Amino acid sequence: MAPPFQFPIRIQNIIWILIGSFIFAFGIYHFNVQNELAEGGFTGITLILKGLFGFSPSVTNLLLNIPLFLVSYKLLGRTTFVYTLIGTFSFSIWYGLIAKYSPLEIFLKDDMVLAALFAGVFIGVGLGIIFNNGGTTGGVDIIARLTKRYFGWSIGRTFMVFDFFVIVASLSYLDYKQAMYTLLAVYVGARVIDWMQEGTYAGKAAMIISDQRTEIADGIHATMNRGTTRLIAKGGYSGRDLEVLYVVVARNEITRLKTLVKSIDQHAFITLHDVYEVTGEGFTFDENRVPIKET
């Protein structure tokens, strides 16, 4: 009989959560705190408490998250609960260490746009790494994961809504200009989180309509080593049956694809759109279905 508590915990995920927590804590202290910017979510609440009463964010972050720990355990499962504990405690520890021992002083008050941009990037990258490895840092991170699971909201969208109200509350100790720069940082952070959530292996999908579709498909197979799919369609105006070629390529292959198509059929109709989380042969696996290692 298996032990009652077996968690599918991966050391690699824990390491990445620790790294993400460090990046997050670094950004909060060196770009938000040192340049008097607020922040959204529970982190923003801890900064409000710091600004008004001098409480340490590393301590108040843990105190505020205790009720949500139970929620994450009940609704998100034991694995996420463990990762959330690691993310929350590691953020508090990293923040305390950075605030006490970091020799860096990144004062950008003469260029608050730059401070807001870097704050958003560091926070977005840090949280993105944590989310991609199954963890959270508590607070709105948990709420964002719940809304994504049960309501289909993107994580960035949930952050934007919640953060707006926290930033308004931050006016209790900041002026309106600092709050506006904070909104910029939060927006950048939300976009970075969504970008990281959408996937590393992004590409472009092309739909090609041509009477010479066979020659075009053969050319794509032979010269670009990409597979194609033929979709059955019907012309809306002509009413005739036709086939549409569908192919997914890397972003740096777009020009090559268009050149190939136009060299075969100058009148070919091509549409392009972004695709995310492209997995499989040619992107994450080679032709022998062996994982492609990133370099």
Side-chain angles (χ1 to χ4, degrees):
M1 182 176 178
F5 295 104
Q6 281 191 324
F7 304 116
I9 303 299
R10 297 179 178 177
I11 299 299
Q12 179 180 348
N13 288 43
I14 293 175
I15 293 173
W16 278 112
I17 289 172
L18 293 176
I19 293 173
S21 298
F22 173 80
I23 296 173
F24 180 37
F26 184 94
I28 289 293
Y29 181 75
H30 284 297
F31 294 107
N32 290 74
V33 174
Q34 288 190 341
N35 294 286
E36 296 183 0
L37 289 175
E39 173 57 17
F42 273 36
T43 305
I45 296 174
T46 65
L47 294 183
I48 293 174
L49 295 175
K50 181 180 186 299
L52 294 178
F53 307 108
F55 296 157
S56 171
S58 61
V59 175
T60 53
N61 177 65
L62 291 177
L63 295 178
L64 290 173
N65 275 292
I66 289 175
L68 284 177
F69 286 156
L70 298 177
V71 175
S72 66
Y73 179 79
K74 294 292 184 180
L75 298 179
L76 296 180
R78 292 176 295 181
T79 300
T80 300
F81 175 71
V82 172
Y83 285 153
T84 295
L85 284 178
I86 295 171
T88 304
F89 276 90
S90 62
F91 166 75
S92 292
I93 293 171
W94 282 130
Y95 183 91
L97 292 174
I98 291 171
K100 187 173 183 178
Y101 298 109
S102 176
L104 294 177
E105 293 183 354
I106 307 177
F107 296 119
L108 298 170
K109 292 183 180 180
D110 57 337
D111 192 346
M112 291 299 290
V113 172
L114 191 62
L117 291 176
F118 270 90
V121 169
F122 270 78
I123 292 170
V125 170
L127 290 178
I129 291 173
I130 293 171
F131 292 152
N132 285 347
N133 287 276
T136 75
T137 57
V140 185
D141 303 358
I142 296 176
I143 297 173
R145 289 176 65 91
L146 294 175
T147 55
K148 181 178 176 65
R149 170 175 291 189
Y150 295 107
F151 300 104
W153 285 23
S154 73
I155 288 179
R157 179 184 176 185
T158 303
F159 267 73
M160 284 291 292
V161 173
F162 196 96
D163 291 351
F164 173 79
F165 292 102
V166 175
I167 292 170
V168 170
S170 298
L171 290 172
S172 59
Y173 76 102
L174 297 178
D175 61 36
Y176 73 94
K177 287 186 177 180
Q178 291 168 309
M180 292 174 69
Y181 284 123
T182 299
L183 281 173
L184 174 60
V186 168
Y187 176 80
V188 172
R191 298 284 71 78
V192 172
I193 290 171
D194 280 345
W195 173 75
M196 295 188 69
Q197 289 282 297
E198 286 165 351
T200 304
Y201 294 97
K204 287 280 189 179
M207 300 187 75
I208 305 165
I209 301 175
S210 170
D211 290 332
Q212 296 175 269
R213 53 190 172 273
T214 300
E215 292 83 354
I216 292 174
D218 290 342
I220 293 172
H221 302 160
T223 65
M224 299 187 65
N225 198 29
R226 295 293 184 192
T228 61
T229 300
R230 296 193 179 196
L231 307 177
I232 304 301
K234 181 181 287 290
Y237 178 76
S238 65
R240 68 187 180 92
D241 294 331
L242 52 85
E243 291 182 350
V244 178
L245 283 181
Y246 179 82
V247 59
V248 177
V249 298
R251 294 181 185 275
N252 60 358
E253 295 177 315
I254 289 297
T255 301
R256 186 179 174 190
L257 174 66
K258 291 192 292 186
T259 300
L260 186 151
V261 173
K262 291 301 182 181
S263 68
I264 297 173
D265 182 3
Q266 285 284 343
H267 302 288
F269 184 81
I270 308 172
T271 62
L272 299 168
H273 59 271
D274 293 323
V275 293
Y276 304 99
E277 285 293 346
V278 185
T279 61
E281 187 172 321
F283 289 91
T284 56
F285 290 87
D286 62 20
E287 63 273 12
N288 297 315
R289 300 189 179 277
V290 176
I292 296 173
K293 296 182 179 180
E294 297 183 48
T295 56

